[in-house]
């Protein structure tokens, strides 16, 4: 509040001061009161239905998937919103390619010193990198490439000019941690995109390699070997091949197998890894070859992004947009579940709850008598659990060009254990959205915290990342853990228990006992954040030097938006 308004002013000055103050408020009074539409009962009702047995776990391209899409479309239509899919309609069809591994032959590693085998599902995991019935690697030479990172902003290039055509890369997971001299190198202990396994395979393909083997260690992955093993089960989905470079096989090895491979080449894994902590590192050919043949069942399928829109009220800015996202898919029905156990992946928190949250936000927007200046899109995206597929497709085939999207606001899971003094912004520090989130949180008397588990790379693991990749600043909002009326540590313990027992398990079911009072506040905050961004004179910006800034500048230039 400006200081002047605290002293007594004559009538007209007081009115002017009030107007100025209202302009400074994070949202308008009408927007403030529209948040009353967001209630525990509303959130509860959507989750109860979406997580029920009837929807059979909402697996991509299943009947449950179609039911979820139909339900969401009905809700949006009933609110009086418009259909928002590009080219018209409520549903943007998302083409999918299903890939199921049908072979189990081990990989063979060979050198003059001897041979080793990588047994699929034991010490070795391989999935096809191509959408073909067979993918093979014939005696390709293995090259150790350290972290496998090229990051000009950190003056880092693990590849130098090595010729990696037709080779298989052996890669360390995660990214360098920084040092006492350079604590901010790769953002210290925070995992960046460079530290994600998807980045490693993508770089390997760009370098012309036919495959990459990531060395698994639990600290560098952030999860145990069983999680890697589980990628072999069932059908995986991808977007159709768009001609971008691909490796024939994406592979993981246990640390023990990786040590054995390196020893076949007469070297020591620990000293190789130590050398990779340095900028001067160069790729090291190991003198070891690998052969592998995978057979795959390939199927063409389809899912859908459900999209509604509230058109902006300012004709000059209605062509710009704020976009909300929440994924509606989960894992469907567990193949080969134990008799008597519940085989349905209900995905109540992940992410029926996020869908419920954004449907509630949509209701609050629909209740406004005057829509915000920019248009607001509500996108319920497909195939997130398969690798952010629906949001990637939407970001690449968007109803509004990326340079005209102010921001993406994503919700993937809400709080179930009461009101909190804090709210979490994943990606805090990355963009000017920090200030907007703090302004609306302050209206609630709450504080904003960053990621509580920075080593997990959470920013790159839900749908906001698909928008960041095309340059759109993104806010991924998550529940706080500082719970009102509970002892310190209670919220974190709840979250850790969920991760241990229910996360990505059939036991992520709807519970009558859940307390959504905190979720209501988080969802109201998400609503106000969107209102504020849709009305703001300027588009949000990435922090200077952020990994997505260059893409943004190009996107706004292409869209011809003043920036
Ligand atoms: Zn999930």
């Amino acid at each position: 509040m400006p200081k002047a308004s605290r002293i007594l002013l004559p009538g007209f000055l007081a009115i002017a001061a009030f107007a100025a103050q209202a302009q400074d408020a994070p949202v308008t009074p009408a927007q403030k009161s529209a948040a009353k539409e967001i209630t525990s009962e509303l959130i509860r009702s959507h989750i109860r239905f979406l997580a029920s047995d009837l929807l059979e776990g909402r697996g991509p391209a299943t009947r449950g998937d179609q039911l979820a899409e139909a339900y969401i479309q009905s809700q949006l239509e009933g609110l009086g919103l418009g259909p928002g899919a590009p080219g018209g309609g409520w549903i943007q069809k998302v083409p999918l390619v299903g890939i199921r591994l049908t072979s189990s032959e081990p990989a063979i590693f060979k050198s003059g010193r001897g041979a080793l085998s990588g047994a699929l599902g034991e010490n070795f995991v391989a999935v096809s990198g191509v959408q073909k019935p067979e993918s093979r690697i014939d005696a390709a030479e293995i090259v150790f490439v350290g972290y496998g990172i090229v990051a000009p902003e950190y003056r880092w290039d693990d590849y130098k000019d090595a010729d990696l055509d037709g080779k298989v890369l052996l890669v360390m997971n995660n990214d360098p941690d920084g040092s006492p001299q350079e604590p901010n190198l790769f953002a210290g202990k925070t995992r960046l995109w460079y530290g994600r396994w998807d980045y490693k395979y993508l770089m390997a393909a760009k370098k012309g390699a036919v495959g990459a083997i990531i060395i698994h260690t639990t600290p560098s992955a952030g999860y145990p070997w069983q999680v890697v093993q589980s990628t072999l089960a069932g059908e995986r989905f991808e977007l159709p091949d768009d001609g971008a470079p691909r490796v024939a096989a994406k592979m993981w090895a246990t640390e023990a197998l990786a040590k054995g491979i390196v020893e076949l080449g007469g070297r020591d894994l620990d000293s190789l890894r130590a050398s990779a902590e340095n900028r001067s590192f160069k790729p090291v050919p190991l003198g070891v070859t690998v052969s592998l043949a995978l057979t795959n069942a390939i199927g063409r399928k389809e899912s859908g992004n459900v999209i509604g829109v509230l058109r902006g009220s300012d004709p000059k800015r209605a062509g710009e947009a704020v976009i909300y996202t929440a994924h509606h898919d989960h894992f469907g029905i567990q193949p080969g579940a134990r008799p008597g156990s519940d085989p349905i992946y209900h995905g109540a928190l992940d992410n029926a709850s996020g869908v419920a949250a954004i449907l509630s936000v949509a209701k609050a927007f629909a209740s406004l008598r005057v829509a915000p200046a920019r248009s607001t899109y509500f996108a319920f995206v497909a195939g997130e659990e398969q690798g952010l597929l629906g949001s990637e497709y939407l970001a690449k085939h968007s109803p509004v060009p990326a340079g005209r999207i102010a921001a993406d606001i994503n919700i993937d899971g809400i709080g179930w254990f009461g009101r909190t003094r804090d709210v979490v912004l994943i990606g805090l520090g990355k963009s000017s959205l920090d200030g907007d989130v703090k302004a609306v949180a302050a209206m609630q008397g709450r504080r904003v915290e960053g990621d509580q588990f920075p080593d997990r790379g959470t920013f790159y693991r839900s749908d906001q990342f698909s928008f960041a990749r095309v340059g759109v600043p993104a806010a991924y909002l998550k529940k706080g853990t500082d719970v009102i009326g509970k002892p310190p540590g209670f919220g974190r313990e709840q979250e850790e228990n969920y991760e241990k027992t229910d996360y990505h398990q059939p036991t992520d079911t709807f519970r009558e006992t859940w307390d959504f009072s905190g979720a209501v506040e988080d969802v109201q905050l998400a609503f106000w954040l969107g209102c504020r961004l849709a009305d703001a004179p300027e588009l949000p910006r990435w922090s200077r030097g952020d990994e997505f800034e260059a893409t943004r500048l190009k996107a706004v230039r292409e869209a011809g938006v003043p920036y």
Side-chain angles (χ1 to χ4, degrees):
M1 185 191 292
K3 264 202 181 114
S5 65
R6 289 208 205 116
I7 42 177
L8 282 175
L9 295 167
F12 77 94
L13 273 182
I15 291 165
F18 175 77
Q21 192 188 323
Q23 221 171 34
D24 285 352
V27 296
T28 68
Q31 291 165 347
K32 195 161 181 198
S33 76
K36 292 195 191 86
E37 298 286 338
I38 298 162
T39 64
S40 290
E41 292 73 21
L42 183 60
I43 293 172
R44 187 177 292 274
S45 68
H46 291 312
I47 303 179
R48 191 198 304 278
F49 179 75
L50 290 166
S52 69
D53 287 357
L54 284 172
L55 276 83
E56 299 172 337
R58 311 184 305 278
T62 63
R63 181 176 63 164
D65 182 356
Q66 288 173 10
L67 281 169
E69 290 171 34
Y71 176 79
I72 296 164
Q73 172 181 335
S74 290
Q75 297 298 322
L76 294 172
E77 194 171 1
L79 291 174
L81 296 170
W90 294 94
I91 296 184
Q92 175 181 48
K93 293 200 161 132
V94 179
L96 298 175
V97 176
I99 307 176
R100 191 193 304 272
L101 185 69
T102 55
S103 57
S104 56
E105 289 297 301
I108 305 296
F109 300 93
K110 266 190 190 161
S111 79
R113 287 182 177 76
L116 261 179
S117 77
L120 274 180
E122 289 172 33
N123 57 355
F124 183 69
V125 161
V127 296
S128 178
V130 290
Q131 296 169 356
K132 291 179 187 160
E134 193 186 31
S135 38
R136 46 184 319 131
I137 292 173
D138 292 312
E141 196 191 338
I142 302 179
V143 181
F144 176 74
V145 295
Y147 287 104
I149 293 173
V150 180
E153 67 276 35
Y154 295 114
R155 294 178 293 112
W156 194 282
D157 178 4
D158 284 321
Y159 294 99
K160 306 297 183 292
D161 278 330
D163 176 12
L164 299 168
D165 214 42
K167 305 285 198 292
V168 166
L169 311 185
L170 183 64
V171 199
M172 292 155 70
N173 204 357
N174 210 342
D175 52 46
D177 267 353
S179 61
Q181 297 79 39
E182 272 187 287
N184 295 325
L185 184 66
F186 291 97
K189 294 237 180 284
T190 299
R191 186 188 301 261
L192 298 180
W193 166 230
Y194 301 117
R196 296 270 307 151
W197 51 266
D198 355 23
Y199 170 84
K200 317 274 179 184
Y201 294 132
L202 200 70
M203 278 310 290
K206 281 188 183 165
K207 292 287 171 186
V210 292
I213 305 168
I214 296 175
I215 305 166
H216 177 268
T217 66
T218 299
S220 71
Y223 38 79
W225 176 246
Q226 296 89 280
V227 174
V228 182
Q229 284 172 309
S230 71
T231 57
L232 284 174
E235 189 173 31
R236 293 180 304 115
F237 290 94
E238 296 180 351
L239 293 178
D241 192 344
D242 61 358
R246 284 169 172 262
V247 290
K250 301 175 178 180
M251 299 167 272
W252 287 88
T254 58
E255 189 174 26
L257 176 62
K259 278 196 171 127
I261 295 168
V262 168
E263 277 161 21
L264 270 184
R267 293 181 181 265
D268 170 59
L269 183 61
D270 287 333
S271 46
L272 281 181
R273 286 193 287 205
S275 70
E277 298 294 341
N278 242 294
R279 280 196 177 82
S280 56
F281 171 82
K282 281 199 194 86
V284 181
L286 297 178
V288 180
T289 62
V290 56
S291 297
L292 171 74
L294 301 172
T295 54
N296 315 296
I298 307 284
R300 307 231 157 232
K301 309 234 166 124
E302 198 173 74
S303 186
N305 296 327
V306 189
I307 310 170
V309 61
L310 177 67
R311 300 272 167 218
S313 56
D314 173 358
K316 279 200 213 101
R317 283 185 287 169
E320 296 171 6
V322 168
I323 185 158
Y324 284 92
T325 45
H327 74 87
H328 61 66
D329 66 297
H330 202 50
F331 292 105
I333 298 176
Q334 192 175 35
R338 271 182 297 111
S341 72
D342 178 359
I344 298 173
Y345 287 101
H346 299 273
L349 287 173
D350 182 11
N351 188 28
S353 75
V355 172
I358 302 303
L359 282 174
S360 306
V361 166
K363 185 169 188 224
F365 269 98
S367 79
L368 292 170
R369 275 217 272 159
V370 182
R374 294 188 176 90
S375 296
T376 313
Y377 284 81
F378 308 94
F380 300 84
V381 293
E384 188 269 356
E385 305 287 11
Q386 306 292 325
L388 320 181
L389 303 182
S391 58
E392 180 183 340
Y393 192 79
L394 174 59
K396 288 179 176 164
H397 306 88
S398 171
V400 176
R404 292 182 181 272
I405 302 176
D408 170 53
I409 302 170
N410 185 53
I411 296 187
D412 192 349
I414 63 172
W416 64 91
F417 43 73
R419 295 175 58 217
T420 57
R421 295 179 192 88
D422 57 338
V423 60
V424 170
L425 172 60
I426 302 289
L428 184 72
K430 291 184 77 64
S431 75
S432 63
L433 296 175
D434 289 7
D436 299 293
V437 177
K438 283 178 185 165
V440 287
M443 271 169 62
Q444 301 177 313
R446 299 203 297 161
R447 65 174 198 278
V448 179
E449 296 282 351
D451 194 348
Q452 322 271 297
F453 305 92
D455 55 327
R456 291 187 188 169
T458 308
F459 187 79
Y460 312 94
R461 289 171 60 183
S462 191
D463 295 303
Q464 71 289 333
F465 178 49
S466 294
F467 284 90
R469 287 183 91 173
V470 296
V472 177
Y476 178 15
L477 297 171
K478 276 193 137 6
K479 64 189 170 299
T481 50
D482 183 1
V483 185
I484 295 168
K486 298 284 182 192
F490 174 82
R492 202 173 159 113
E493 189 182 278
Q494 294 284 308
E495 176 153 2
E496 284 173 345
N497 284 344
Y498 166 74
E499 297 239 341
K500 234 185 288 161
T501 57
D502 298 332
Y503 174 67
H504 286 189
Q505 300 299 325
T507 53
D508 181 1
T509 54
F510 178 78
R511 317 278 159 93
E512 295 294 344
T513 51
W514 278 340
D515 173 357
F516 289 129
S517 56
V520 165
E521 293 190 333
D522 292 347
V523 177
Q524 289 177 330
L525 183 147
F527 165 60
W528 286 326
L529 176 64
C531 291
R532 181 176 163 87
L533 297 172
D535 277 336
E538 293 189 356
L539 295 175
R541 289 174 170 271
W542 292 103
S543 305
R544 197 169 291 264
D546 186 87
E547 57 192 325
F548 303 112
E549 189 188 29
T551 312
R552 178 62 162 177
L553 294 175
K554 187 163 168 264
V556 289
R557 212 180 309 121
E558 281 168 6
V561 175
Y563 195 64

